[in-house]
């Protein structure tokens, strides 16, 4: 394995998506990630299908690349002892059990800190280790709802298809996984300086509230309640989806200079000097009238025509690709985002790999998501040492 984290071992006790996503990020960066799963069934997502590739679900295959799988029943003395042995040679522990669960098994932070004093232990839960909801379970969908995201996603109620919508991917899980990876790497940097480990308390609801970003600040400084606007941006215009004669076009004008070029492409240069549209502030204020003018013009031409006209003037725009179309995009193909990795029973499995590109610590992608318990024998035959096969 290569990458900047080849000196790091991660003990991944997590399941589903948020914790495993963090583990996969670290594995892609070269860390030795040991995934501990329940005997017989493993991670819940192994059965979350269809689709399946033989017996492996697409869901599981999307989030467990580069890891070793070891089975252990954490409710037994034997399973608990194995986790302690693994923790003793690990730098990081990832877990997403309900608050207090691992403490009851003797595998909480204080327990594992006793065997590895400088351990970095990241606990991922729906609501955190403190507070009135600490004992409640959570899933991405409900946190998107509770954290405000669905209130600003989807068409307004008075439009066709109106109503709150979740994002099409488990965005809270993914962001939580990224925050977890960032947090443990920050803790590693702190440990390198001080010799101290840490316990990170990461809550999905906190993450969702944290990533409300501009929508949150819009509310905090104005007192207004953000609403669903469909594809229309609340602060920058024109940014929307517009129908063409043979499809739909996304336009993302980001400044007044781009708007001048946009108007040139539309054959309406006068709009760029009209006081109702000359500045972004004016365009946001007069977005309804501006949108009507743009829609009328773009509807008269084909998608490829507008992509050429706007692209030649460096106006940000693009088609709405399906997933297969995104994978077929020449830029995505050039960047090698989809690769096939060798698999012990399937021959190979496709993977969407890390977008990180390092010049001096290049990443390799050689380990497919593991079979359940694939590396259990190694756990009693030397895996607790820092060897890698």
């Amino acid at each position: 394995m290569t990458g900047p984290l080849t000196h790091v071992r991660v003990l991944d006790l997590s399941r589903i998506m948020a914790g495993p996503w963090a583990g996969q990020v670290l594995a892609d960066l070269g860390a030795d990630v040991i995934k501990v799963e329940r005997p017989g069934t493993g991670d819940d997502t192994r059965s979350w299908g269809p689709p399946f590739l033989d017996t492996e679900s697409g869901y599981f295959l999307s989030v467990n690349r580069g890891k070793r799988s070891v089975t252990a029943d954490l409710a037994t003395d034997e399973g608990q002892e194995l986790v302690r042995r693994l923790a003793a040679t690990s730098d990081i522990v990832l877990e997403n059990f309900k608050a207090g669960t691992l403490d009851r098994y003797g595998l909480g932070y204080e327990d594992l800190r006793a065997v590895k004093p400088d351990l970095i232990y990241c606990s991922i839960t729906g609501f955190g280790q403190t507070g009135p909801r600490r004992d409640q379970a959570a899933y991405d969908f409900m946190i998107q709802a509770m954290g405000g995201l669905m209130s600003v996603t989807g068409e307004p109620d008075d439009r066709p298809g109106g109503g709150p919508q979740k994002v099409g991917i488990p965005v809270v899980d993914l962001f939580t996984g990224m925050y977890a990876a960032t947090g443990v790497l920050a803790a590693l940097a702190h440990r390198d300086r001080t010799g101290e480990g840490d316990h990170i308390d990461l809550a999905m609801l906190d993450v969702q509230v944290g990533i409300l970003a501009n929508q949150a600040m819009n509310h905090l400084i104005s007192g207004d309640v953000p609403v669903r606007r469909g594809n229309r941006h609340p602060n920058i215009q024109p940014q929307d989806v517009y129908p063409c004669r043979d499809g739909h076009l996304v336009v993302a004008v980001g400044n007044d200079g781009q708007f001048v070029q946009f108007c040139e492409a539309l054959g309406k240069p006068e709009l760029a000097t009209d006081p109702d549209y000359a500045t972004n502030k004016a365009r946001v204020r007069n977005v309804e009238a501006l949108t009507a003018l743009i829609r009328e013009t773009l509807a008269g031409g084909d998608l490829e025509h507008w992509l050429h006209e706007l692209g030649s003037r460096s106006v940000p725009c693009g088609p709405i690709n399906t997933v297969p179309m995104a994978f077929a995009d020449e830029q995505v193909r050039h960047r090698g985002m989809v690769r096939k990795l060798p698999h012990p029973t399937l021959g190979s499995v496709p993977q969407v790999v890390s977008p990180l590109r390092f010049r001096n610590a290049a990443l390799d992608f050689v380990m497919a998501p593991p079979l359940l318990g694939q590396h259990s024998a190694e756990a009693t035959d030397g895996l607790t040492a820092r060897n890698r096969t």
Side-chain angles (χ1 to χ4, degrees):
M1 297 288 287
T2 63
L5 297 183
T6 54
H7 61 298
V8 173
R9 171 169 282 178
V10 180
L11 179 57
D12 186 357
L13 306 179
S14 65
R15 307 94 64 216
I16 316 297
M17 177 62 87
W21 189 261
Q24 182 169 269
V25 169
L26 299 172
D28 282 346
L29 293 172
D32 182 9
V33 180
I34 304 170
K35 182 180 181 68
V36 176
E37 302 186 70
R38 291 171 298 182
T41 57
D43 189 315
D44 295 8
T45 62
R46 286 186 181 273
S47 64
W48 283 12
F52 292 94
L53 193 59
D54 193 16
T55 60
E56 304 289 351
S57 74
Y59 208 113
F60 177 83
L61 292 172
S62 74
V63 72
N64 287 289
R65 174 178 59 252
K67 305 177 186 180
R68 303 170 187 266
S69 174
V70 171
T71 56
D73 184 350
L74 302 189
T76 67
D77 291 342
E78 181 183 20
Q80 294 162 15
E81 178 58 25
L82 175 60
V83 170
R84 292 189 193 98
R85 287 171 51 219
L86 292 170
T89 62
S90 295
D91 301 287
I92 296 164
V93 171
L94 301 172
E95 64 94 1
N96 62 349
F97 288 81
K98 290 175 65 175
T101 299
L102 290 185
D103 292 311
R104 293 196 298 272
Y105 292 149
L107 301 175
Y109 171 61
E110 294 297 338
D111 301 300
L112 297 189
R113 182 187 181 192
V115 300
K116 186 69 160 53
D118 63 352
L119 189 66
I120 295 162
Y121 190 105
C122 182
S123 296
I124 301 169
T125 57
F127 301 102
Q129 301 296 308
T130 63
R133 296 188 184 273
R134 71 181 294 269
D135 296 323
Q136 297 180 14
Y139 285 92
D140 176 277
F141 186 13
M142 64 181 281
I143 299 298
Q144 286 195 39
M146 295 177 67
L149 182 59
M150 290 178 64
S151 76
V152 295
T153 305
E155 293 288 348
D157 289 335
D158 60 352
R159 294 188 181 178
Q165 290 286 317
K166 71 180 182 70
V167 178
I169 57 173
V171 65
V172 184
D173 278 335
L174 298 175
F175 262 102
T176 301
M178 294 303 295
Y179 269 109
T182 302
V184 297
L185 292 178
L188 272 179
H190 178 77
R191 190 181 76 175
D192 288 345
R193 186 167 56 86
T194 67
E196 296 178 335
D198 214 331
H199 184 195
I200 300 168
D201 172 10
L202 183 60
M204 292 171 64
L205 184 60
D206 293 352
V207 169
Q208 176 50 69
V209 171
I211 64 171
L212 286 173
N214 60 307
Q215 294 281 24
M217 196 55 62
N218 289 347
H219 164 67
L220 292 173
I221 67 175
S222 72
D224 295 337
V225 178
V227 297
R228 295 187 304 279
R229 301 173 185 270
N231 295 303
R232 185 177 295 177
H233 198 286
N235 302 108
I236 312 168
Q237 286 297 329
Q239 288 205 11
D240 207 339
V241 174
Y242 302 97
C244 303
R245 192 155 50 201
D246 61 344
H248 289 83
L249 174 72
V250 167
V251 175
V253 171
N255 56 54
D256 295 339
Q258 289 176 358
F259 185 66
V260 171
Q261 295 301 312
F262 179 62
C263 295
E264 291 285 346
L266 296 187
K268 295 182 178 295
E270 68 279 4
L271 293 179
T273 56
D274 187 320
D276 285 343
Y277 310 123
T279 65
N280 182 69
K281 182 178 179 180
R283 292 193 294 274
V284 172
R285 185 182 300 117
N286 297 295
V287 65
E288 295 295 342
L290 177 61
T291 297
L293 289 169
I294 295 172
R295 289 172 68 91
E296 180 182 12
T297 303
L298 293 178
D302 293 338
L303 177 60
E304 285 300 324
H305 168 76
W306 293 121
L307 289 172
H308 172 75
E309 290 298 316
L310 297 174
S312 66
R313 293 173 171 82
S314 298
V315 177
C317 64
I320 300 177
N321 287 335
T322 63
V323 172
M325 291 166 66
F327 287 149
D329 183 278
E330 61 181 358
Q331 182 66 22
V332 175
R333 292 170 63 88
H334 172 80
R335 300 288 289 179
M337 285 301 298
V338 179
R339 306 188 192 181
K340 288 191 174 182
L341 305 186
H343 189 274
T345 62
L346 302 174
S348 66
V349 293
Q351 291 282 282
V352 183
V353 299
S354 172
L356 292 169
R357 301 289 181 267
F358 293 83
R359 175 176 293 184
N360 296 324
L363 308 186
D364 61 7
F365 306 100
V366 296
M367 292 176 62
L371 298 172
L372 178 60
Q374 181 179 339
H375 304 93
S376 290
E378 298 176 22
T380 56
D381 194 25
L383 182 58
T384 51
R386 282 187 175 273
N387 66 307
R388 307 192 71 180
T389 58

